[in-house]
């Protein structure tokens, strides 16, 4: 029995790839298995070739693998494109719909559409038939899918639920009767594990923001960040959140700053091109010392680039965007659970230091579902760092930009007390009024920059994965964590000596903490999804740590352990 | 009782004789007449001579970026709709750099008063043409005179069914104060474009030039309730220039549409942690 398989659902946009993929992923997860799913789609609503990939295993898995064991082909392009990768697996398709000349023994025909029409009178149920057929082929528990269908179609009524359940059953039985004897992947006897969450990076950021008490979100839609906006909007009424779709990204961040100035926990979500438009307002956040959380879901640029693919190409841009110099903070979650906790931390840091804080993700993390331990909301605190009404009441005067040893000026809100609050994008004095004198400039600049001292101490040291010392040290940041850890495990099992130093707190760099970890002997290889090794550059300039080698990928695809191991061999590192 | 003294008298950096002085005075007067305390008022301003205005009085201030008064004002109003929110900026700020925002602010209809100190020129950057500069006006940049058709902000706003559209004149403080009071009291987005002579850089549209042309709509018994009539009147520009309230319409405001604002301000709402656990469970 093989309990680690990779399933791919391929077809044109609009054919139900996502419906099948999501239902399968949920069924596996709820059956107690470990699931990882990711999507590859083109920037179009209909047509094109897209696929949804699921890896399912009975032991913890971290990332997608290059292997392919089961292909559900909804179009002939899926067969043409993926057949070769399918070493000795199975293709599931409906020969009535997918016209192929190939008569390989691996092809298993299930008349999805005919079964759907016989049962529900419509081709609409073909996706459910297909989902059922996959579960039949794997001898999974159909009951779990039935419960999911009940949930999914709860709003559509009993009839629709029943037809879907019948359709799933018919697909299941067809596969069992016609194929299961020959099926080599069976999850029949897998035992129930502890309950887990199945969640993608975008939902996790949205959930983290809600847990952190986000009150206002203004954004302009842009793949791959839109999922966060969707998630928060879907729960806005329950959580007393206002979500406003701005007319452009310039407006989005400026709205966020206005809302934040007036006291709301506020965030915006965007991707590279949209973030370009936010650059001036980013400087405004820096100068007015207004807290803001910016979710930056990266995709390959420049310009429109590859809208639906992945890259880590905006790190230096996020670090340097906007005119002038001011403190900012960059966090880059490794996984959805990390995204949940780091998003909440981003809000607290933004409020405490009165700065813009980035959560940098990418299409890979945004759209991939991971199996995670249950998030612990009790770990999240909401620390607003605002003056209380009593404190303000007893103050004779209030100055928004009071010079303090740590650079943080006590923050009051407009309308909160008898005092007025004055914020200014010009260089200003302690009261917030325009002041262009040299002495004032120096003390204000130094006050703002002093905030970095405290902020730096809040930056956690990178995680060391694997042995503390190794012949080869991989260095990574953000979403590449899972394939990197898998690579370390696989190679160490082979007798190699590798470890990983992985960063999710990117900037400011806690130089002491990093140097004590990273300055060990062995070859360092910095792994990044970009063409110029941006993180390696920051590591050099900020922490004075050079890496020996860069391993870069910029074809729009995420790292897999297979890819990484091949690349390390090519570079003769291993 | 709130008085003019509460709003303080602060030395400005404007040129002597500038139309901005009258606008500053009218804003303070309108707020005093409405009984608003400085701490209840938030002025979001842009960059330019006009954008400096809130620094010359006492009030909550967010002096943001050039062209970007409306987005922060909208955000602040949503966060705390009990604040009286005004925006102040120049014609370049409101109609040039920030042109996109005004269109969408009108569509959103937040309860904000937008004041445009329209001197038909870029004052702070020393005399380039603005979107409202007259055809043929020569500047250091427009050396052969302005060739771009001037923007008519009132006609634009009325065509978008803006809920309150008015024009004031810096040469008539009393009339302007009245307009501002009505605009601030109005529930919804109010645009007040103010003819503001710039004595240093606009040698064409001077106090004298305006005085010869300006006339009051209300003195004709004009009623600002019909969009087509308002649009026609907004097109009058030349020998006679109407001032006053052109158009007024009750509409639901942006804030009315958000359920989160129904029981108090957004910032005052408490969080329910049990809801977070419910959401987490939905992924199990
Ligand atoms: C993004 C940006 N572009 C350009 C400027 C330079 N700038 C400052 S004020 C201004 C125009 C001022 O004209 P207006 O808005 O009509 O205000 P006024 O000075 O006439 O009151 C310009 C172009 C700026 N501050 N920011
Ligand atoms: S330049 Fe014009 S607008 Fe600016 S202060 Fe002087 S007169 Fe007023
Ligand atoms: Mg101007």
């Amino acid at each position: 029995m093989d309990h680690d398989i990779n399933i791919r659902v391929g077809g044109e946009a609009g054919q139900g790839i996502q419906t099948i993929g999501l239902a399968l992923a949920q069924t596996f997860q709820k059956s107690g298995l470990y699931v990882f799913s990711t999507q590859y789609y083109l920037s179009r609503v209909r047509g094109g070739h897209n696929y949804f990939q699921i890896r399912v295993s009975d032991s913890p898995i971290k990332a997608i693998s290059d292997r392919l064991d089961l292909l559900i082909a909804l179009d002939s392009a899926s067969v043409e494109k993926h057949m070769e990768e399918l070493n000795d697996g199975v293709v599931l398709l409906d020969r009535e719909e997918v016209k192929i000349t190939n008569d390989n023994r691996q092809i298993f025909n299930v008349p999805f559409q005919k079964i759907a029409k016989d049962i529900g009178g419509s081709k609409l149920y073909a996706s459910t038939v297909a989902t059922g057929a996959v579960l039949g082929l794997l001898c999974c528990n159909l009951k779990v899918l039935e419960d999911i269908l009940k949930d999914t179609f709860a709003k559509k009524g009993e009839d629709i639920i029943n037809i879907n359940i019948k359709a799933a059953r018919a697909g299941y039985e067809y596969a069992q009767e016609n194929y299961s004897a020959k099926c080599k992947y069976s999850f029949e006897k897998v035992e129930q594990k502890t309950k887990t969450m199945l969640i993608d990076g975008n939902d996790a950021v949205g959930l983290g923001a809600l847990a952190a008490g986000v009150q206002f979100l203004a954004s302009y839609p842009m793949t791959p960040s839109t999922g966060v906006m969707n998630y928060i909007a879907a729960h806005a009424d329950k959580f007393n959140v206002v979500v406003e779709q701005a007319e452009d990204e310039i407006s989005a961040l400026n709205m966020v700053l206005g809302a934040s100035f007036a006291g709301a926990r506020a965030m915006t979500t965007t991707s590279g091109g949209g973030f370009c438009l936010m650059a001036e307002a980013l400087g405004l956040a820096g100068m007015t010392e207004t807290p803001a959380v910016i979710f930056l879901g990266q995709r390959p640029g420049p310009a429109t680039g590859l809208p639906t693919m992945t890259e880590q190409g905006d790190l230096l841009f996020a670090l340097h965007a906007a005119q002038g110099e001011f403190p900012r903070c960059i966090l880059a979650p490794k996984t959805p659970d990390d995204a949940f906790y780091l998003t909440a931390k981003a809000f607290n840091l933004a409020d405490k230091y009165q700065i813009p804080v980035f959560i940098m993700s990418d299409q890979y993390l945004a759209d991939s579902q991971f199996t995670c331990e249950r998030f612990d909301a009790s770990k999240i605190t909401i620390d607003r760092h605002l003056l209380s009404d009593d404190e303000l009441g007893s103050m004779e005067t209030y100055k928004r930009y009071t010079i303090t040893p740590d650079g943080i000026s006590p923050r009051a809100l407009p309308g909160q007390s008898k005092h007025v609050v004055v914020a200014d994008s010009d260089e200003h004095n302690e009261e917030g009024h325009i002041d262009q004198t040299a002495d004032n400039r120096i003390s204000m600049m130094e006050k703002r920059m002093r905030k970095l001292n405290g902020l730096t101490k809040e930056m956690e040291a990178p995680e060391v994965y694997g042995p503390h010392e190794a012949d080869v040290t991989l260095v990574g940041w953000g979403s590449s964590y899972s394939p990197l850890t898998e690579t370390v495990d696989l190679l160490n099992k082979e007798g190699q000596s590798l470890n990983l130093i992985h960063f999710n707190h990117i900037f400011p760099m806690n130089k002491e903490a990093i140097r004590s970890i990273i300055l060990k002997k062995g070859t360092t290889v910095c792994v990044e999804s970009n063409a110029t090794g941006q993180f390696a550059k920051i590591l050099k300039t900020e922490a004075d740590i050079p890496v020996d080698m860069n391993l870069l990928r910029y074809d729009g695809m995420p790292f897999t352990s297979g890819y990484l191991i091949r690349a390390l061999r090519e570079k003769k590192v291993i | 009782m709130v008085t003019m003294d509460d709003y303080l008298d602060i030395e400005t950096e404007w040129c002597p004789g500038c139309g901005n002085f009258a606008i500053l005075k009218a804003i303070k007067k309108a707020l005093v007449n409405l009984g608003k305390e400085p701490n209840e008022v938030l002025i979001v301003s842009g960059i330019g001579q006009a954008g400096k205005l809130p620094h010359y009085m006492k009030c909550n201030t967010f002096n943001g970026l050039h062209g970007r008064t409306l987005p922060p004002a909208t955000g602040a109003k949503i966060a705390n709709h009990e604040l009286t929110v005004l925006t102040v900026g120049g014609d370049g700020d409101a109609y040039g750099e920030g042109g996109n925002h005004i269109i969408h602010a009108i569509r959103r209809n937040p309860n904000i008063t937008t004041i445009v100190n329209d001197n038909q020129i870029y004052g702070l950057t020393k005399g380039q043409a603005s979107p409202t500069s007259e055809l043929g006006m020569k500047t250091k940049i427009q050396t052969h005179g302005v060739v771009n058709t001037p923007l008519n902000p009132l006609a634009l706003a009325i065509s978008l069914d803006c809920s309150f559209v008015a024009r004031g004149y810096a040469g008539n403080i009393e009339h302007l104060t009245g307009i501002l009071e009505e605009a601030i009291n109005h529930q919804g987005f109010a645009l007040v474009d103010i003819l503001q002579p710039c004595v240093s850089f606009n040698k064409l549209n001077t106090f004298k030039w305006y005085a010869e042309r300006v006339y009051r709509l209300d003195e004709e018994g004009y009623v600002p309730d019909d969009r087509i009539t308002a649009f026609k009147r907004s097109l009058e520009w030349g020998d006679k220039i109407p001032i006053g309230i052109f158009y007024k319409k009750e509409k639901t405001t942006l804030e009315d549409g958000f359920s989160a604002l129904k029981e108090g301000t957004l910032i005052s709402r408490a969080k329910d942690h049990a809801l977070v656990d419910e959401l987490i469970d939905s992924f199990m």
Side-chain angles (χ1 to χ4, degrees):
Chain A
M1 291 284 153
D2 192 335
H3 284 148
D4 183 354
I5 68 164
N6 287 275
I7 304 172
R8 196 172 287 177
V9 189
E12 289 179 14
Q15 281 192 316
I17 305 160
Q18 248 209 346
T19 316
I20 300 172
L22 289 173
L24 284 175
Q26 274 193 28
T27 307
F28 296 138
Q29 177 242 355
K30 287 190 201 295
S31 306
L33 295 161
Y34 293 89
V35 181
F36 184 99
S37 84
T38 189
Q39 302 180 43
Y40 301 84
Y41 54 96
L42 299 172
S43 184
R44 51 200 278 183
V45 178
R46 302 235 158 241
H49 180 69
N50 302 281
Y51 62 97
F52 192 107
Q53 180 145 339
I54 303 165
R55 179 174 173 192
V56 52
S57 169
D58 58 352
S59 48
I61 43 167
K62 290 170 177 146
I64 217 66
S65 128
D66 295 326
R67 256 180 47 198
L68 181 58
D69 305 297
L70 178 59
L71 173 67
I72 297 98
L74 302 179
D75 64 354
S76 49
S78 302
V79 183
E80 285 155 23
K81 284 204 160 67
H82 307 301
M83 195 73 184
E84 271 179 35
E85 295 168 65
L86 193 79
N87 296 325
D88 56 351
V90 182
V91 189
L92 206 69
L93 52 73
D94 181 347
R95 278 203 182 268
E96 292 288 304
E97 298 301 313
V98 182
K99 302 287 179 207
I100 46 157
T101 46
N102 194 328
D103 214 4
N104 195 301
R105 278 183 297 122
Q106 289 172 294
I107 293 178
F108 173 40
N109 175 39
V110 182
F112 302 137
Q113 304 236 348
K114 185 176 178 302
I115 298 177
K117 273 194 223 144
D118 290 349
I119 284 178
S122 162
K123 295 195 289 190
L124 278 177
Y125 303 100
S127 303
T128 311
V129 176
T131 312
V134 175
L135 297 179
L137 205 56
L138 302 176
C139 302
C140 281
N141 186 347
L142 187 65
K143 174 79 178 57
V144 182
L145 175 65
E146 290 179 3
D147 289 343
I148 291 167
L149 292 172
K150 278 181 202 156
D151 266 6
T152 312
F153 296 108
K155 283 201 186 119
K156 301 221 167 146
E158 277 303 299
D159 286 354
I160 301 287
I161 292 177
N162 287 335
I163 299 177
N164 273 289
I165 289 180
K166 272 191 205 158
R169 226 176 265 159
Y172 189 91
E173 281 160 9
Y174 188 95
Q176 290 257 307
E177 281 159 24
N178 295 285
Y179 205 90
S180 75
K182 289 170 264 177
C183 175
K184 32 199 226 214
Y185 314 112
S186 168
F187 284 97
E188 203 172 12
K189 290 184 191 67
V190 165
E191 277 167 38
Q192 289 280 315
K193 295 269 160 54
T194 49
K195 282 189 124 192
T196 53
M197 286 172 79
L198 180 66
I199 187 166
D200 69 32
N202 272 350
D203 284 356
V205 170
L207 194 52
L210 290 172
V214 67
Q215 292 167 310
F216 181 73
L217 180 141
S219 301
Y220 190 84
M222 188 165 185
T223 305
S225 68
T226 317
V228 175
M229 192 184 183
N230 288 343
Y231 188 78
I232 293 174
H235 303 285
D237 289 350
K238 251 190 171 172
F239 281 77
N240 294 322
V241 181
V242 168
V243 173
E244 181 62 10
Q245 182 176 323
E247 58 272 29
D248 55 36
E249 288 85 351
I250 298 176
S251 181
L253 186 52
N254 275 287
M255 274 192 197
V256 161
L257 297 183
S260 176
F261 171 72
R265 276 214 147 166
M267 87 183 286
T268 186
T269 57
T270 191
S271 184
F275 178 59
C276 292
L277 297 189
M278 293 182 180
E280 192 189 19
L282 183 69
L284 181 63
M287 186 53 130
T288 57
E289 304 193 48
T290 306
V293 172
I294 301 167
F295 171 74
L296 180 52
Q298 298 166 97
R299 68 193 216 187
T304 308
L306 297 166
T308 54
M309 306 195 87
T310 202
E311 195 162 281
Q312 298 178 302
D314 294 335
L315 179 57
L316 287 175
F317 179 43
L319 182 60
H320 297 295
Q323 64 282 42
E325 300 158 299
F326 55 92
R328 69 187 79 195
C329 176
I330 300 176
L331 307 173
K334 302 184 276 199
T335 53
D337 45 335
D338 200 31
F340 175 74
Y341 299 110
L342 276 187
T343 301
K345 181 169 184 174
F347 279 98
N348 285 342
L349 290 177
D351 269 343
K352 183 168 181 187
Y353 295 95
Q354 305 171 14
I355 51 165
V357 179
F358 291 88
I359 302 156
M360 285 191 80
S361 175
D362 48 43
Q363 185 269 331
Y364 170 66
L365 180 56
D367 292 334
S368 298
Q369 292 179 308
F370 293 56
T371 306
C372 307
E373 266 179 47
R374 192 181 190 284
F375 298 169
D376 185 356
S378 71
K379 279 191 190 156
I380 289 176
T381 57
I382 300 179
D383 310 319
R384 296 298 319 265
H385 303 277
L386 292 168
L387 283 167
S388 70
D389 294 354
D390 287 347
E391 286 171 309
L392 279 162
S394 62
M395 286 167 95
E396 202 51 38
T397 54
Y398 171 73
K399 295 176 181 170
R400 172 65 187 89
Y401 301 108
T402 306
I403 307 243
T404 57
D406 60 7
I408 302 170
S409 310
R411 186 166 160 236
L413 304 179
Q416 185 188 359
S417 69
K418 61 191 177 192
H419 303 292
V420 297
V421 183
V422 180
D424 191 3
S425 74
D426 294 270
E427 187 58 274
H428 42 258
N429 57 24
E430 288 186 284
E431 266 123 41
H433 291 298
I434 303 175
D435 188 336
Q436 309 190 356
T437 59
D439 286 350
N440 178 71
R441 165 68 174 178
I442 292 166
S443 49
M444 277 299 160
M445 197 67 185
E446 289 176 353
K447 172 194 115 63
R448 286 189 294 268
M449 297 313 282
R450 263 202 308 279
K451 295 192 287 185
L452 276 172
N453 301 338
L455 181 63
T456 302
K457 296 200 186 92
E458 312 235 18
M459 297 292 108
E460 283 171 23
E463 175 185 337
V464 183
Y465 184 88
H468 252 258
E469 290 193 25
D471 295 346
V472 178
T473 293
L474 304 178
V475 178
W477 65 281
S479 72
S480 55
Y481 177 76
S482 308
L484 282 169
T485 53
E486 197 171 68
T487 304
V488 169
D489 290 345
L490 288 172
L491 290 175
N492 284 347
K493 231 180 253 168
E494 271 182 23
Q496 305 265 7
S497 162
L498 276 91
N499 66 4
L500 166 68
I501 296 182
H502 202 87
F503 290 75
N504 60 356
H505 288 70
I506 309 295
F507 187 87
M509 279 198 171
N510 191 339
K511 191 172 164 179
E512 275 69 45
I514 297 169
R515 285 179 68 86
S516 67
I517 287 175
I518 223 167
L519 284 181
K520 302 263 161 70
K521 52 181 188 288
T523 312
T524 45
V525 185
C526 191
V527 181
E528 300 183 59
S529 287
N530 58 50
T532 53
Q534 300 189 16
F535 183 78
K537 285 182 185 164
I538 304 182
L539 208 51
K540 178 77 185 81
T541 52
E542 297 294 324
D544 198 21
I545 296 169
V547 294
D548 299 319
M549 225 180 271
N550 290 309
L551 196 169
L552 306 172
R553 178 170 202 180
Y554 40 87
D555 59 357
M557 301 292 277
F559 284 115
T560 58
S561 53
Y563 181 96
L564 287 166
I565 291 168
R566 278 193 302 277
L568 289 169
R569 292 219 156 97
E570 258 165 44
K571 286 183 182 290
K572 306 211 178 340
V573 184
I574 52 167
Chain B
M1 254 235 331
V2 58
T3 65
M4 286 295 272
D5 290 342
D6 293 321
Y7 280 95
L8 304 182
D9 202 5
I10 296 164
E11 199 189 325
T12 82
E13 285 169 11
W14 289 324
C15 313
C18 171
N20 278 331
F21 291 101
I23 298 175
L24 175 62
K25 194 160 186 187
I27 291 174
K28 288 196 217 170
K29 264 193 162 172
L31 291 169
V32 169
N33 291 348
L34 293 172
K36 304 267 182 208
E37 300 279 352
N39 66 337
E40 299 171 329
V41 178
L42 167 63
I43 297 187
V44 178
S45 73
I47 299 299
Q49 299 288 24
K52 292 182 179 170
L53 186 140
H55 291 288
Y56 305 143
M57 61 186 278
K58 181 182 175 186
C59 60
N60 293 299
T61 300
F62 189 87
N63 182 184
L65 300 169
H66 183 52
R68 317 295 168 201
T69 57
L70 285 166
T74 305
K77 187 72 188 180
I78 291 171
N80 182 357
H81 61 265
E82 284 170 4
L83 289 170
T84 297
V85 180
L86 278 58
T87 73
V88 179
D91 39 328
D93 203 292
Y95 308 136
E97 189 89 54
N100 195 23
H101 306 310
I102 201 155
I103 293 172
H104 298 282
I106 292 172
R107 293 180 50 232
R108 282 192 184 97
N109 200 35
N111 190 7
I112 286 174
T113 303
T114 282
I115 297 166
V116 182
N117 304 13
D118 188 353
N119 53 11
Q120 300 181 257
I121 199 89
Y122 282 8
L124 190 67
T125 45
K126 300 193 182 353
Q128 303 81 14
S130 90
T132 54
S133 294
E134 304 272 348
L135 278 175
M137 178 195 260
K138 286 192 177 168
T139 76
K140 272 187 252 172
I141 308 281
Q142 289 73 25
T143 52
H144 300 289
V146 168
V147 292
N148 296 1
T149 308
L151 181 107
N152 181 332
L154 285 86
L156 173 71
I158 295 164
S159 76
L160 292 167
D161 206 24
C162 181
S163 74
F164 185 104
V165 185
R167 178 189 284 136
Y169 169 44
N172 190 338
I173 296 186
E174 209 174 311
H175 178 248
L176 177 58
T177 306
I179 290 178
L180 289 173
E181 279 175 45
E182 282 209 47
I184 294 166
N185 258 345
H186 177 77
Q187 294 295 306
F189 185 77
L191 172 66
V192 184
D193 184 82
I194 304 172
L195 304 173
Q196 177 237 323
C198 163
V199 295
S200 298
F201 297 109
N202 188 336
K203 304 295 182 192
L204 183 66
N205 310 101
T206 59
F207 274 109
K208 181 165 174 294
W209 188 90
Y210 285 124
E212 285 165 358
R213 290 166 171 81
V214 158
Y215 76 98
R216 285 172 59 162
L217 282 171
D218 57 350
E219 286 176 351
E220 284 191 353
Y222 175 81
V223 186
D225 62 357
D226 180 64
R227 194 162 161 211
I228 304 290
T229 315
F231 189 77
K232 269 191 191 151
R233 299 306 288 256
S234 76
L235 300 181
E236 280 182 40
W237 184 272
D239 292 343
K240 293 192 82 196
I241 300 175
I243 57 170
I245 299 166
F246 283 66
Y247 185 55
K248 229 164 83 168
K249 184 175 176 180
E250 298 299 324
K251 291 162 83 172
T252 39
T253 65
L254 175 70
E255 300 90 279
D256 289 337
F258 293 124
S259 74
L261 310 188
K262 295 259 186 300
E263 286 158 40
T265 61
L266 187 64
I267 56 170
S268 67
R269 304 299 301 270
K271 289 274 115 51
D272 181 355
H273 260 278
L275 287 176
V276 179
D277 277 315
E278 241 174 64
L279 282 190
I280 292 175
D281 285 334
S282 72
F283 291 95
M284 303 280 288

